[in-house]
Amino acid sequence: MHYGMIKKYDIADGEGVRVSLFVSGCTNRCKGCFQPQTWAFDYGEPYTAETEQELIDALSDRNISGLTLLGGEPFELENQRVLVGLLRRVRRELPDKTIWCYTGFVYDRDLVPGGRRYCEVTEEFLSYIDVLVDGPFIEEQKDIRLVFRGSSNQRVLDLKKTRQTGTIVKYME
């Protein structure tokens, strides 16, 4: 897996001050994407054990609320298989940090058994995420007044409650 950027003090991609990892690789290729360079799976730097430690160290700051994954596309199969190890480690070492994830895939269609981006680690990957912003960016539905999303079709889901209840629970409108 490659990544395009790490932001160690991000206030735009989730609540509080966050560490954000922008992964590389995206097959959604949404029209009007704000980072089309991240569509290439080899964009940026290789993700290494040192990269992971850098993220853990940054997250250890008491002023950091949590981790945000975005891209590119965290739910591309090869990205899930790497990122699940990072999330496992964050939950073990920094259990009070929240985890947000942005995806152009739709949770209850693409990330379920039989879905386009479901694999052997998807259930575990999803189990670590607190808030999931899902759905492709649709340029015709772009609205700059929206909080934590770019187009009105996208949802900000309380993933813990959604998984507990089996029904979609929005974190915010």
Side-chain angles (χ1 to χ4, degrees):
M1 183 182 86
H2 282 68
Y3 69 97
M5 178 180 9
I6 295 172
K7 284 188 179 179
K8 293 185 179 174
Y9 301 99
D10 187 358
I11 58 170
D13 298 308
E15 290 183 327
V17 181
R18 312 191 65 75
V19 173
S20 294
L21 174 64
F22 292 77
V23 301
S24 298
C26 183
T27 57
N28 286 317
R29 299 176 179 250
C30 300
K31 176 182 165 194
C33 174
F34 79 106
Q35 292 205 109
Q37 68 275 18
T38 65
W39 295 350
F41 284 83
D42 61 354
Y43 173 76
E45 301 293 323
Y47 183 88
T48 64
E50 291 76 21
T51 308
E52 186 169 298
Q53 189 59 51
E54 179 183 352
L55 290 163
I56 295 295
D57 291 346
L59 284 163
S60 297
D61 182 328
R62 65 180 179 82
N63 297 305
I64 299 296
S65 300
L67 173 69
T68 298
L69 301 174
L70 61 173
E73 175 57 62
F75 278 94
E76 292 294 353
L77 300 178
E78 50 269 54
N79 291 345
Q80 285 186 60
R81 291 177 176 121
V82 173
L83 292 170
V84 72
L86 169 64
L87 297 190
R88 189 182 300 130
R89 190 169 171 202
V90 170
R91 281 290 178 239
R92 185 178 64 243
E93 296 178 28
L94 303 161
D96 295 335
K97 304 296 180 175
T98 60
I99 297 173
W100 283 51
C101 185
Y102 285 75
T103 180
F105 294 107
V106 177
Y107 169 71
D108 45 344
R109 181 186 70 210
D110 301 318
L111 306 178
V112 295
R116 294 187 315 151
R117 285 302 175 269
Y118 187 88
C119 69
E120 73 281 358
V121 299
T122 304
E123 283 301 318
E124 182 183 3
F125 190 71
L126 289 167
S127 76
Y128 298 129
I129 298 170
D130 296 294
V131 177
L132 181 71
V133 182
D134 81 336
F137 172 74
I138 299 176
E139 191 169 42
E140 294 76 24
Q141 294 180 34
K142 179 179 178 178
D143 185 344
I144 61 171
R145 297 169 298 176
L146 296 171
V147 178
F148 303 128
R149 56 198 174 121
S151 59
S152 59
N153 65 295
Q154 295 172 314
R155 305 177 297 182
V156 183
L157 305 179
D158 182 324
L159 199 56
K160 296 289 186 199
K161 288 182 182 174
T162 294
R163 290 172 58 81
Q164 287 169 353
T165 64
T167 60
I168 297 297
V169 178
K170 292 190 177 175
Y171 186 76
M172 63 176 45
E173 287 298 320

